[in-house]
Amino acid sequence: MSKKYDFAKRQDWLGLLAVAPQAEVSDGLDRLGLSPAFTWLRKPQIGSVMVRGRQGGTGAPFNLGEMTVTRASLTLEDGRVGHGYVQGRALQKAEHCALIDALMQGEEATRIADQILEPIAKSLAAQKAETAGKAAQTKVDFFTMARGED
């Protein structure tokens, strides 16, 4: 079952953009010909964040390790602000994610959702289904047979 995105919720489109391949994000912007003027609030920066975990999902939190991230923030001429946070050292992807985030807050939202976000969501769902199918082929079912000694 694939996750259904509600592109009316900012966290859904930001989450999708964060995990999308850089080429799909960049190609989507190029296809639509969207390149509005903007000013940087924070130019793309590479840094690290501490990843925390919980044993069993409910135990006490512990520091799992650090992860490299790239972040960017910009503002469009009309005042809309966009942010992009992505895993790894991807300056251009962070910029494009911030640009899409800002554009999604305006009248271009439906067009961007239909022509950029939906194809990315479908592509990621197909990849996930393919991976799940490959994993299912290696599944081993263990069972216990009654020995009849009762």
Side-chain angles (χ1 to χ4, degrees):
M1 183 175 114
S2 66
K3 180 178 179 179
K4 176 64 180 159
Y5 289 95
D6 177 7
F7 293 121
K9 292 183 183 174
R10 191 175 192 191
Q11 72 183 48
D12 279 347
W13 76 65
L14 285 173
L16 180 65
L17 290 170
V19 298
Q22 181 171 345
E24 290 188 36
V25 175
S26 299
D27 291 348
L29 275 174
D30 291 343
R31 235 184 358 262
L32 290 178
L34 295 173
S35 55
F38 63 86
T39 56
W40 289 115
L41 294 174
R42 176 179 292 130
K43 287 186 177 185
Q45 300 173 326
I46 298 170
S48 63
V49 295
M50 180 60 68
V51 179
R52 302 200 69 192
R54 291 179 182 268
Q55 185 155 347
T58 58
F62 63 93
N63 292 337
L64 187 61
E66 290 186 353
M67 178 178 78
T68 304
V69 295
T70 305
R71 67 181 180 179
S73 297
L74 54 81
T75 183
L76 300 179
E77 289 179 331
D78 63 4
R80 290 180 281 170
V81 175
H83 304 283
Y85 282 78
V86 298
Q87 180 179 350
R89 304 171 67 85
L91 299 171
Q92 186 178 29
K93 182 179 176 187
E95 175 184 335
H96 289 168
C97 289
L99 187 57
I100 291 173
D101 178 38
L103 292 169
M104 279 293 291
Q105 299 171 52
E107 58 197 37
E108 306 95 341
T110 303
R111 196 172 106 190
I112 292 170
D114 291 344
Q115 297 183 23
I116 297 177
L117 300 178
E118 285 295 335
I120 290 172
K122 287 178 184 176
S123 172
L124 291 175
Q127 288 175 1
K128 187 174 182 179
E130 181 182 344
T131 302
K134 287 179 182 178
Q137 292 174 0
T138 65
K139 181 179 178 185
V140 177
D141 289 322
F142 293 95
F143 60 93
T144 305
M145 295 179 58
R147 293 181 13 176
E149 297 176 356
D150 292 326

